[in-house]
Amino acid sequence: MVSVSQAEEQTAVQSAGAQPELIPVVQDAPDSTLNGDMSPVRSWVFKPNCSLTPRQLAGFYLSIVLVTLGIAAGFCLFGLWVVLPFAGIELLAVGIALLIYARHAGDYERIELRGRALTVIVVRGSREYSVSFNPGWTKVSLPKPGELLRLESGSTWVAVGRYITAPLRERLAYELRRAFAAAAA
């Protein structure tokens, strides 16, 4: 789900006393690229754990096509031509499933805190949306255990944490509350 090992996840959830960061948090040096703001940046990025890159996926599918059509051609040589349409249907179904997988391979959620500006970027499939909040006015809530984390300010809200476990969502809520309080001070 998230590019963090099981041991790191358990350490983050089970630690008492000094609480470590949830997952690797990108803390950039002061950056002057946005409106001359010299504030440090804290980012939390969550991505699904994808086993194959799109290029590897294409190679995998090509190998399936070649093997399946080779076997179907062998059956056709023995007069069992009816195997060929079923092989085509199978390849179409596998192709559609892999296309859906590839479409969501680049999905991610990014929470970026830069001074007094909070930006949440969510990418799912071909859709990307971004929501900006003032961290001092943003409420962090977990409606029920196991549900997505909700960031809201006024009538605007966004749900995040789709790619992390429920205990890590609780940890993220704690870290965000702490970071928002520090940004508001």
Side-chain angles (χ1 to χ4, degrees):
M1 294 217 185
V2 176
S3 50
V4 77
S5 71
Q6 285 282 2
E8 290 170 338
E9 180 178 330
Q10 289 174 351
T11 303
V13 173
Q14 295 175 352
S15 72
Q19 298 193 9
E21 296 297 328
L22 170 68
I23 62 168
V25 175
V26 179
Q27 290 198 8
D28 298 333
D31 185 8
S32 60
T33 57
L34 293 177
N35 302 326
D37 185 8
M38 296 299 287
S39 304
V41 176
R42 291 193 68 187
S43 295
W44 294 264
V45 178
F46 307 102
K47 299 178 180 182
N49 186 9
C50 295
S51 303
L52 298 173
T53 66
R55 176 179 244 162
Q56 291 170 330
L57 192 64
F60 172 70
Y61 184 65
L62 181 62
S63 68
I64 289 175
V65 167
L66 293 176
V67 169
T68 302
L69 290 180
I71 293 171
F75 278 101
C76 284
L77 290 176
F78 288 108
L80 299 170
W81 60 269
V82 76
V83 172
L84 197 56
F86 285 102
I89 292 169
E90 172 193 351
L91 290 173
L92 180 65
V94 170
I96 290 170
L98 292 177
L99 188 62
I100 292 169
Y101 169 84
R103 181 176 179 190
H104 291 284
D107 290 2
Y108 69 92
E109 297 172 340
R110 180 182 181 104
I111 303 169
E112 184 174 280
L113 180 61
R114 180 184 303 267
R116 292 186 179 262
L118 171 68
T119 305
V120 179
I121 301 168
V122 178
V123 174
R124 287 198 192 95
S126 60
R127 290 189 230 156
E128 176 178 343
Y129 61 94
S130 175
V131 182
S132 295
F133 298 106
N134 178 333
W137 299 342
T138 303
K139 178 182 171 189
V140 179
S141 62
L142 275 167
K144 294 179 186 171
E147 288 189 4
L148 295 180
L149 186 70
R150 189 173 165 129
L151 303 176
E152 53 189 307
S153 180
S155 63
T156 306
W157 62 272
V158 64
V160 294
R162 182 174 312 275
Y163 306 115
I164 58 176
T165 62
L168 286 178
R169 279 188 213 120
E170 292 174 15
R171 177 73 184 142
L172 176 62
Y174 169 79
E175 283 189 21
L176 289 176
R177 287 182 189 118
R178 192 175 72 191
F180 293 172

